[in-house]
Amino acid sequence: PAPRWLAPMVAAGRAGSLGPAPLLCLARAVSAIARLSLGPLLPLLSIDLPIDIYHKGQLLSSFSTGYLLTQVGGGWFADRFGAKLVITISLVLTGLLLCLAPLVADGEGVDGLCMLYFVMGFANGPLFPACSVMLRDVPLRARSQASAVVDAGGTLGGCLATALCPWLASLVDWRRLY
């Protein structure tokens, strides 16, 4: 049996009142992995690419810069065109850009990788506000729990990115990890 403090969430989940929260949790986890895996992988990238201290800073801030520019607009698009569409486009673009990362790194170097991570952040910025829009349909009594489940995806993704990505990359090379 679940601990007492977890019982309301388990009951809400059984009743289906958390709505799309578990799926949105997964979306946030994927987003966090895309965003946060770069830092732990940077030592491995530095072996193959000439990355000075300036470019390390640029690379690590590129995603956040693009992300910042589209958060407010992402909420507007989710309200106007539907959160499902915005989330789908955001995740598909992020996946495609992740697949291109090794090619861009090899062809364009660090500057190309900075641009790619900026565009990836730009594509990913609408995800958080679109998740909030999707939670509007969750019953009020379960909305805070659903929101917590969605937000936990970011933390889960961060844990996975920092704990597993360097280990996996050391086994299969960072290019294959992307």
Side-chain angles (χ1 to χ4, degrees):
R4 287 185 77 169
W5 61 269
L6 192 58
M9 191 182 322
V10 171
R14 277 193 207 122
S17 60
L18 292 180
L23 200 53
L24 295 175
C25 174
L26 181 62
R28 292 285 310 278
V30 169
S31 170
I33 291 169
R35 179 178 76 246
L36 299 172
S37 63
L38 182 60
L41 292 176
L42 202 51
L44 294 172
L45 269 74
S46 296
I47 294 169
D48 295 338
L49 301 170
I51 306 176
D52 59 25
I53 195 74
Y54 169 78
H55 282 97
K56 285 180 183 177
Q58 291 298 307
L59 194 51
L60 290 171
S61 66
S62 294
F63 186 100
S64 296
T65 304
Y67 191 92
L68 175 69
L69 295 175
T70 56
Q71 277 198 300
V72 174
W76 182 84
F77 274 100
D79 284 336
R80 179 149 178 142
F81 301 109
K84 288 179 187 177
L85 177 66
V86 172
I87 290 170
T88 301
I89 291 170
S90 178
L91 291 176
V92 167
L93 286 174
T94 299
L96 291 172
L97 291 166
L98 281 172
C99 290
L100 290 175
L103 297 172
V104 170
D106 289 339
E108 302 300 322
V110 180
D111 288 332
L113 207 51
C114 285
M115 182 54 76
L116 180 115
Y117 265 86
F118 173 82
V119 173
M120 193 183 316
F122 194 86
N124 220 272
L127 183 65
F128 185 79
C131 286
S132 297
V133 170
M134 282 196 69
L135 292 179
R136 288 181 186 159
D137 294 333
V138 173
L140 190 57
R141 64 175 168 47
R143 199 170 296 159
S144 62
Q145 291 173 351
S147 180
V149 168
V150 173
D151 288 346
T155 304
L156 173 65
C159 292
L160 292 174
T162 55
L164 294 180
C165 286
W167 174 70
L168 288 172
S170 70
L171 296 176
V172 300
D173 185 51
W174 65 267
R175 286 174 179 84
R176 284 184 154 177
L177 188 62
Y178 278 92

mmCIF file of all heavy atoms in Angstrom, residues 3-48:
data_model
loop_
_atom_site.group_PDB
_atom_site.id
_atom_site.type_symbol
_atom_site.label_atom_id
_atom_site.label_comp_id
_atom_site.label_asym_id
_atom_site.label_seq_id
_atom_site.Cartn_x
_atom_site.Cartn_y
_atom_site.Cartn_z
ATOM 1 N N PRO A 3 2.086 5.094 0.983
ATOM 2 C CA PRO A 3 2.127 5.859 2.239
ATOM 3 C C PRO A 3 0.908 6.772 2.352
ATOM 4 O O PRO A 3 0.319 7.177 1.339
ATOM 5 C CB PRO A 3 3.403 6.678 2.119
ATOM 6 C CG PRO A 3 4.174 6.091 0.994
ATOM 7 C CD PRO A 3 3.220 5.347 0.136
ATOM 8 N N ARG A 4 0.545 7.135 3.569
ATOM 9 C CA ARG A 4 -0.656 7.961 3.792
ATOM 10 C C ARG A 4 -0.599 9.287 3.046
ATOM 11 O O ARG A 4 -1.591 9.732 2.490
ATOM 12 C CB ARG A 4 -0.836 8.226 5.286
ATOM 13 C CG ARG A 4 -1.316 7.014 6.036
ATOM 14 C CD ARG A 4 -1.573 7.372 7.450
ATOM 15 N NE ARG A 4 -2.848 8.090 7.471
ATOM 16 C CZ ARG A 4 -3.494 8.387 8.575
ATOM 17 N NH1 ARG A 4 -2.998 8.066 9.727
ATOM 18 N NH2 ARG A 4 -4.639 9.020 8.515
ATOM 19 N N TRP A 5 0.572 9.917 3.035
ATOM 20 C CA TRP A 5 0.684 11.227 2.395
ATOM 21 C C TRP A 5 0.508 11.129 0.884
ATOM 22 O O TRP A 5 0.162 12.094 0.217
ATOM 23 C CB TRP A 5 2.011 11.896 2.730
ATOM 24 C CG TRP A 5 3.224 11.123 2.278
ATOM 25 C CD1 TRP A 5 3.920 10.194 2.993
ATOM 26 C CD2 TRP A 5 3.865 11.201 0.998
ATOM 27 N NE1 TRP A 5 4.957 9.680 2.241
ATOM 28 C CE2 TRP A 5 4.946 10.289 1.021
ATOM 29 C CE3 TRP A 5 3.629 11.939 -0.150
ATOM 30 C CZ2 TRP A 5 5.787 10.104 -0.073
ATOM 31 C CZ3 TRP A 5 4.479 11.762 -1.228
ATOM 32 C CH2 TRP A 5 5.546 10.851 -1.177
ATOM 33 N N LEU A 6 0.724 9.940 0.322
ATOM 34 C CA LEU A 6 0.606 9.748 -1.117
ATOM 35 C C LEU A 6 -0.795 9.284 -1.525
ATOM 36 O O LEU A 6 -1.153 9.330 -2.701
ATOM 37 C CB LEU A 6 1.656 8.712 -1.556
ATOM 38 C CG LEU A 6 1.933 8.546 -3.032
ATOM 39 C CD1 LEU A 6 2.375 9.864 -3.647
ATOM 40 C CD2 LEU A 6 2.992 7.499 -3.246
ATOM 41 N N ALA A 7 -1.598 8.888 -0.568
ATOM 42 C CA ALA A 7 -2.921 8.326 -0.848
ATOM 43 C C ALA A 7 -3.808 9.234 -1.703
ATOM 44 O O ALA A 7 -4.437 8.752 -2.646
ATOM 45 C CB ALA A 7 -3.628 7.948 0.453
ATOM 46 N N PRO A 8 -3.889 10.558 -1.427
ATOM 47 C CA PRO A 8 -4.762 11.393 -2.272
ATOM 48 C C PRO A 8 -4.327 11.408 -3.747
ATOM 49 O O PRO A 8 -5.158 11.383 -4.640
ATOM 50 C CB PRO A 8 -4.642 12.786 -1.659
ATOM 51 C CG PRO A 8 -4.181 12.556 -0.263
ATOM 52 C CD PRO A 8 -3.354 11.317 -0.305
ATOM 53 N N MET A 9 -3.015 11.410 -3.995
ATOM 54 C CA MET A 9 -2.544 11.431 -5.369
ATOM 55 C C MET A 9 -2.838 10.099 -6.058
ATOM 56 O O MET A 9 -3.237 10.061 -7.221
ATOM 57 C CB MET A 9 -1.042 11.721 -5.441
ATOM 58 C CG MET A 9 -0.598 12.009 -6.839
ATOM 59 S SD MET A 9 1.161 12.325 -7.078
ATOM 60 C CE MET A 9 1.653 13.235 -5.692
ATOM 61 N N VAL A 10 -2.641 9.008 -5.342
ATOM 62 C CA VAL A 10 -2.934 7.697 -5.910
ATOM 63 C C VAL A 10 -4.421 7.595 -6.237
ATOM 64 O O VAL A 10 -4.804 7.137 -7.315
ATOM 65 C CB VAL A 10 -2.483 6.570 -4.941
ATOM 66 C CG1 VAL A 10 -2.977 5.218 -5.426
ATOM 67 C CG2 VAL A 10 -0.978 6.583 -4.797
ATOM 68 N N ALA A 11 -5.271 8.046 -5.322
ATOM 69 C CA ALA A 11 -6.716 8.003 -5.553
ATOM 70 C C ALA A 11 -7.105 8.878 -6.733
ATOM 71 O O ALA A 11 -7.914 8.481 -7.573
ATOM 72 C CB ALA A 11 -7.464 8.439 -4.293
ATOM 73 N N ALA A 12 -6.508 10.061 -6.815
ATOM 74 C CA ALA A 12 -6.818 10.958 -7.934
ATOM 75 C C ALA A 12 -6.365 10.345 -9.250
ATOM 76 O O ALA A 12 -7.057 10.434 -10.264
ATOM 77 C CB ALA A 12 -6.155 12.313 -7.716
ATOM 78 N N GLY A 13 -5.213 9.683 -9.234
ATOM 79 C CA GLY A 13 -4.721 9.044 -10.443
ATOM 80 C C GLY A 13 -5.612 7.903 -10.887
ATOM 81 O O GLY A 13 -5.877 7.720 -12.061
ATOM 82 N N ARG A 14 -6.110 7.116 -9.928
ATOM 83 C CA ARG A 14 -7.015 6.015 -10.250
ATOM 84 C C ARG A 14 -8.316 6.524 -10.851
ATOM 85 O O ARG A 14 -8.877 5.916 -11.734
ATOM 86 C CB ARG A 14 -7.324 5.211 -8.991
ATOM 87 C CG ARG A 14 -6.284 4.204 -8.673
ATOM 88 C CD ARG A 14 -6.798 3.236 -7.614
ATOM 89 N NE ARG A 14 -5.648 2.741 -6.894
ATOM 90 C CZ ARG A 14 -5.468 2.859 -5.601
ATOM 91 N NH1 ARG A 14 -6.360 3.429 -4.839
ATOM 92 N NH2 ARG A 14 -4.387 2.378 -5.036
ATOM 93 N N ALA A 15 -8.767 7.635 -10.353
ATOM 94 C CA ALA A 15 -10.027 8.193 -10.840
ATOM 95 C C ALA A 15 -9.862 8.877 -12.190
ATOM 96 O O ALA A 15 -10.826 9.287 -12.791
ATOM 97 C CB ALA A 15 -10.585 9.182 -9.811
ATOM 98 N N GLY A 16 -8.620 9.018 -12.662
ATOM 99 C CA GLY A 16 -8.372 9.667 -13.938
ATOM 100 C C GLY A 16 -8.464 11.173 -13.869
ATOM 101 O O GLY A 16 -8.463 11.848 -14.889
ATOM 102 N N SER A 17 -8.538 11.718 -12.657
ATOM 103 C CA SER A 17 -8.732 13.159 -12.536
ATOM 104 C C SER A 17 -7.452 13.953 -12.747
ATOM 105 O O SER A 17 -7.500 15.169 -12.811
ATOM 106 C CB SER A 17 -9.344 13.490 -11.169
ATOM 107 O OG SER A 17 -8.484 13.059 -10.142
ATOM 108 N N LEU A 18 -6.316 13.278 -12.852
ATOM 109 C CA LEU A 18 -5.075 13.998 -13.142
ATOM 110 C C LEU A 18 -4.964 14.313 -14.630
ATOM 111 O O LEU A 18 -4.062 15.009 -15.052
ATOM 112 C CB LEU A 18 -3.861 13.206 -12.675
ATOM 113 C CG LEU A 18 -3.705 13.053 -11.169
ATOM 114 C CD1 LEU A 18 -2.465 12.238 -10.846
ATOM 115 C CD2 LEU A 18 -3.652 14.399 -10.471
ATOM 116 N N GLY A 19 -5.886 13.807 -15.402
ATOM 117 C CA GLY A 19 -5.947 14.116 -16.827
ATOM 118 C C GLY A 19 -4.654 13.788 -17.545
ATOM 119 O O GLY A 19 -4.089 12.710 -17.370
ATOM 120 N N PRO A 20 -4.146 14.735 -18.302
ATOM 121 C CA PRO A 20 -2.955 14.481 -19.104
ATOM 122 C C PRO A 20 -1.646 14.640 -18.327
ATOM 123 O O PRO A 20 -0.576 14.555 -18.920
ATOM 124 C CB PRO A 20 -3.057 15.555 -20.196
ATOM 125 C CG PRO A 20 -3.719 16.691 -19.503
ATOM 126 C CD PRO A 20 -4.723 16.048 -18.560
ATOM 127 N N ALA A 21 -1.715 14.837 -17.013
ATOM 128 C CA ALA A 21 -0.518 15.142 -16.227
ATOM 129 C C ALA A 21 0.604 14.110 -16.380
ATOM 130 O O ALA A 21 1.763 14.506 -16.563
ATOM 131 C CB ALA A 21 -0.881 15.353 -14.758
ATOM 132 N N PRO A 22 0.334 12.816 -16.321
ATOM 133 C CA PRO A 22 1.451 11.863 -16.470
ATOM 134 C C PRO A 22 2.153 11.972 -17.825
ATOM 135 O O PRO A 22 3.377 11.901 -17.907
ATOM 136 C CB PRO A 22 0.782 10.496 -16.291
ATOM 137 C CG PRO A 22 -0.425 10.780 -15.456
ATOM 138 C CD PRO A 22 -0.903 12.132 -15.912
ATOM 139 N N LEU A 23 1.392 12.179 -18.878
ATOM 140 C CA LEU A 23 1.993 12.330 -20.201
ATOM 141 C C LEU A 23 2.770 13.647 -20.304
ATOM 142 O O LEU A 23 3.860 13.696 -20.895
ATOM 143 C CB LEU A 23 0.901 12.265 -21.273
ATOM 144 C CG LEU A 23 1.342 11.944 -22.682
ATOM 145 C CD1 LEU A 23 2.169 10.674 -22.738
ATOM 146 C CD2 LEU A 23 0.128 11.800 -23.579
ATOM 147 N N LEU A 24 2.228 14.696 -19.717
ATOM 148 C CA LEU A 24 2.928 15.986 -19.708
ATOM 149 C C LEU A 24 4.191 15.907 -18.859
ATOM 150 O O LEU A 24 5.192 16.572 -19.157
ATOM 151 C CB LEU A 24 2.004 17.088 -19.201
ATOM 152 C CG LEU A 24 0.788 17.387 -20.080
ATOM 153 C CD1 LEU A 24 -0.107 18.410 -19.408
ATOM 154 C CD2 LEU A 24 1.215 17.848 -21.458
ATOM 155 N N CYS A 25 4.162 15.100 -17.813
ATOM 156 C CA CYS A 25 5.345 14.865 -16.995
ATOM 157 C C CYS A 25 6.461 14.284 -17.865
ATOM 158 O O CYS A 25 7.614 14.719 -17.785
ATOM 159 C CB CYS A 25 4.997 13.922 -15.837
ATOM 160 S SG CYS A 25 6.406 13.405 -14.835
ATOM 161 N N LEU A 26 6.108 13.328 -18.701
ATOM 162 C CA LEU A 26 7.073 12.728 -19.616
ATOM 163 C C LEU A 26 7.614 13.766 -20.608
ATOM 164 O O LEU A 26 8.817 13.806 -20.884
ATOM 165 C CB LEU A 26 6.422 11.558 -20.357
ATOM 166 C CG LEU A 26 7.298 10.793 -21.334
ATOM 167 C CD1 LEU A 26 8.472 10.153 -20.618
ATOM 168 C CD2 LEU A 26 6.465 9.741 -22.051
ATOM 169 N N ALA A 27 6.729 14.618 -21.125
ATOM 170 C CA ALA A 27 7.160 15.665 -22.049
ATOM 171 C C ALA A 27 8.146 16.616 -21.381
ATOM 172 O O ALA A 27 9.165 16.987 -21.966
ATOM 173 C CB ALA A 27 5.943 16.444 -22.561
ATOM 174 N N ARG A 28 7.860 17.005 -20.144
ATOM 175 C CA ARG A 28 8.777 17.887 -19.409
ATOM 176 C C ARG A 28 10.098 17.191 -19.117
ATOM 177 O O ARG A 28 11.154 17.819 -19.128
ATOM 178 C CB ARG A 28 8.135 18.358 -18.111
ATOM 179 C CG ARG A 28 6.961 19.305 -18.259
ATOM 180 C CD ARG A 28 7.357 20.726 -18.642
ATOM 181 N NE ARG A 28 8.396 21.283 -17.821
ATOM 182 C CZ ARG A 28 8.222 21.854 -16.617
ATOM 183 N NH1 ARG A 28 7.030 21.940 -16.113
ATOM 184 N NH2 ARG A 28 9.246 22.347 -15.956
ATOM 185 N N ALA A 29 10.061 15.879 -18.868
ATOM 186 C CA ALA A 29 11.292 15.138 -18.616
ATOM 187 C C ALA A 29 12.170 15.118 -19.871
ATOM 188 O O ALA A 29 13.382 15.349 -19.794
ATOM 189 C CB ALA A 29 10.975 13.711 -18.159
ATOM 190 N N VAL A 30 11.556 14.878 -21.026
ATOM 191 C CA VAL A 30 12.304 14.888 -22.288
ATOM 192 C C VAL A 30 12.909 16.266 -22.535
ATOM 193 O O VAL A 30 14.075 16.398 -22.928
ATOM 194 C CB VAL A 30 11.383 14.462 -23.458
ATOM 195 C CG1 VAL A 30 12.038 14.724 -24.804
ATOM 196 C CG2 VAL A 30 11.001 13.005 -23.310
ATOM 197 N N SER A 31 12.133 17.296 -22.281
ATOM 198 C CA SER A 31 12.624 18.663 -22.438
ATOM 199 C C SER A 31 13.815 18.934 -21.527
ATOM 200 O O SER A 31 14.818 19.519 -21.946
ATOM 201 C CB SER A 31 11.492 19.657 -22.136
ATOM 202 O OG SER A 31 11.981 20.969 -22.060
ATOM 203 N N ALA A 32 13.715 18.495 -20.284
ATOM 204 C CA ALA A 32 14.801 18.723 -19.334
ATOM 205 C C ALA A 32 16.058 17.956 -19.727
ATOM 206 O O ALA A 32 17.171 18.468 -19.596
ATOM 207 C CB ALA A 32 14.360 18.336 -17.925
ATOM 208 N N ILE A 33 15.889 16.750 -20.220
ATOM 209 C CA ILE A 33 17.053 15.982 -20.665
ATOM 210 C C ILE A 33 17.735 16.689 -21.829
ATOM 211 O O ILE A 33 18.955 16.818 -21.862
ATOM 212 C CB ILE A 33 16.650 14.536 -21.041
ATOM 213 C CG1 ILE A 33 16.255 13.770 -19.782
ATOM 214 C CG2 ILE A 33 17.786 13.829 -21.774
ATOM 215 C CD1 ILE A 33 15.595 12.436 -20.060
ATOM 216 N N ALA A 34 16.941 17.178 -22.779
ATOM 217 C CA ALA A 34 17.504 17.911 -23.925
ATOM 218 C C ALA A 34 18.276 19.132 -23.452
ATOM 219 O O ALA A 34 19.348 19.443 -23.966
ATOM 220 C CB ALA A 34 16.388 18.321 -24.885
ATOM 221 N N ARG A 35 17.736 19.824 -22.466
ATOM 222 C CA ARG A 35 18.342 21.051 -21.975
ATOM 223 C C ARG A 35 19.538 20.795 -21.075
ATOM 224 O O ARG A 35 20.563 21.460 -21.179
ATOM 225 C CB ARG A 35 17.281 21.869 -21.237
ATOM 226 C CG ARG A 35 17.790 23.160 -20.664
ATOM 227 C CD ARG A 35 16.677 23.955 -19.981
ATOM 228 N NE ARG A 35 16.338 23.393 -18.685
ATOM 229 C CZ ARG A 35 15.187 22.820 -18.357
ATOM 230 N NH1 ARG A 35 14.236 22.699 -19.261
ATOM 231 N NH2 ARG A 35 14.964 22.343 -17.170
ATOM 232 N N LEU A 36 19.419 19.843 -20.174
ATOM 233 C CA LEU A 36 20.399 19.706 -19.105
ATOM 234 C C LEU A 36 21.492 18.676 -19.362
ATOM 235 O O LEU A 36 22.431 18.580 -18.584
ATOM 236 C CB LEU A 36 19.682 19.377 -17.791
ATOM 237 C CG LEU A 36 18.702 20.453 -17.331
ATOM 238 C CD1 LEU A 36 17.901 19.969 -16.128
ATOM 239 C CD2 LEU A 36 19.433 21.744 -17.012
ATOM 240 N N SER A 37 21.411 17.926 -20.430
ATOM 241 C CA SER A 37 22.452 16.927 -20.696
ATOM 242 C C SER A 37 23.731 17.557 -21.231
ATOM 243 O O SER A 37 24.801 16.953 -21.131
ATOM 244 C CB SER A 37 21.935 15.871 -21.668
ATOM 245 O OG SER A 37 21.619 16.453 -22.912
ATOM 246 N N LEU A 38 23.640 18.747 -21.768
ATOM 247 C CA LEU A 38 24.811 19.375 -22.366
ATOM 248 C C LEU A 38 25.919 19.621 -21.342
ATOM 249 O O LEU A 38 27.093 19.348 -21.613
ATOM 250 C CB LEU A 38 24.427 20.688 -23.056
ATOM 251 C CG LEU A 38 25.566 21.415 -23.760
ATOM 252 C CD1 LEU A 38 26.173 20.540 -24.853
ATOM 253 C CD2 LEU A 38 25.069 22.720 -24.349
ATOM 254 N N GLY A 39 25.580 20.122 -20.172
ATOM 255 C CA GLY A 39 26.601 20.400 -19.153
ATOM 256 C C GLY A 39 27.420 19.176 -18.785
ATOM 257 O O GLY A 39 28.660 19.203 -18.848
ATOM 258 N N PRO A 40 26.768 18.073 -18.409
ATOM 259 C CA PRO A 40 27.536 16.873 -18.076
ATOM 260 C C PRO A 40 28.293 16.273 -19.262
ATOM 261 O O PRO A 40 29.295 15.594 -19.074
ATOM 262 C CB PRO A 40 26.480 15.880 -17.581
ATOM 263 C CG PRO A 40 25.304 16.696 -17.222
ATOM 264 C CD PRO A 40 25.348 17.922 -18.074
ATOM 265 N N LEU A 41 27.812 16.510 -20.483
ATOM 266 C CA LEU A 41 28.486 15.967 -21.663
ATOM 267 C C LEU A 41 29.614 16.859 -22.163
ATOM 268 O O LEU A 41 30.421 16.434 -22.992
ATOM 269 C CB LEU A 41 27.475 15.741 -22.791
ATOM 270 C CG LEU A 41 26.442 14.638 -22.553
ATOM 271 C CD1 LEU A 41 25.451 14.590 -23.711
ATOM 272 C CD2 LEU A 41 27.104 13.306 -22.340
ATOM 273 N N LEU A 42 29.669 18.075 -21.671
ATOM 274 C CA LEU A 42 30.658 19.040 -22.169
ATOM 275 C C LEU A 42 32.104 18.540 -22.067
ATOM 276 O O LEU A 42 32.882 18.760 -23.001
ATOM 277 C CB LEU A 42 30.486 20.380 -21.451
ATOM 278 C CG LEU A 42 31.030 21.607 -22.147
ATOM 279 C CD1 LEU A 42 30.539 21.715 -23.580
ATOM 280 C CD2 LEU A 42 30.637 22.851 -21.381
ATOM 281 N N PRO A 43 32.503 17.872 -20.990
ATOM 282 C CA PRO A 43 33.887 17.357 -20.978
ATOM 283 C C PRO A 43 34.171 16.380 -22.120
ATOM 284 O O PRO A 43 35.270 16.394 -22.682
ATOM 285 C CB PRO A 43 33.993 16.651 -19.614
ATOM 286 C CG PRO A 43 32.977 17.324 -18.767
ATOM 287 C CD PRO A 43 31.849 17.681 -19.696
ATOM 288 N N LEU A 44 33.179 15.572 -22.497
ATOM 289 C CA LEU A 44 33.382 14.651 -23.607
ATOM 290 C C LEU A 44 33.388 15.379 -24.947
ATOM 291 O O LEU A 44 34.159 15.029 -25.846
ATOM 292 C CB LEU A 44 32.302 13.564 -23.596
ATOM 293 C CG LEU A 44 32.339 12.623 -22.402
ATOM 294 C CD1 LEU A 44 31.119 11.720 -22.380
ATOM 295 C CD2 LEU A 44 33.613 11.806 -22.392
ATOM 296 N N LEU A 45 32.533 16.386 -25.092
ATOM 297 C CA LEU A 45 32.530 17.181 -26.320
ATOM 298 C C LEU A 45 33.855 17.912 -26.478
ATOM 299 O O LEU A 45 34.363 18.064 -27.588
ATOM 300 C CB LEU A 45 31.378 18.188 -26.313
ATOM 301 C CG LEU A 45 30.050 17.755 -26.906
ATOM 302 C CD1 LEU A 45 29.326 16.800 -25.980
ATOM 303 C CD2 LEU A 45 29.197 18.956 -27.186
ATOM 304 N N SER A 46 34.425 18.363 -25.358
ATOM 305 C CA SER A 46 35.677 19.123 -25.383
ATOM 306 C C SER A 46 36.851 18.296 -25.883
ATOM 307 O O SER A 46 37.849 18.847 -26.342
ATOM 308 C CB SER A 46 36.000 19.668 -23.988
ATOM 309 O OG SER A 46 35.018 20.588 -23.594
ATOM 310 N N ILE A 47 36.733 16.985 -25.793
ATOM 311 C CA ILE A 47 37.791 16.115 -26.319
ATOM 312 C C ILE A 47 37.811 16.179 -27.841
ATOM 313 O O ILE A 47 38.866 16.213 -28.464
ATOM 314 C CB ILE A 47 37.587 14.660 -25.829
ATOM 315 C CG1 ILE A 47 37.781 14.589 -24.319
ATOM 316 C CG2 ILE A 47 38.528 13.698 -26.554
ATOM 317 C CD1 ILE A 47 37.354 13.267 -23.704
ATOM 318 N N ASP A 48 36.626 16.227 -28.445
ATOM 319 C CA ASP A 48 36.513 16.187 -29.910
ATOM 320 C C ASP A 48 36.446 17.564 -30.568
ATOM 321 O O ASP A 48 36.751 17.692 -31.749
ATOM 322 C CB ASP A 48 35.264 15.401 -30.314
ATOM 323 C CG ASP A 48 35.343 13.945 -29.911
ATOM 324 O OD1 ASP A 48 36.462 13.436 -29.718
ATOM 325 O OD2 ASP A 48 34.285 13.306 -29.787
#
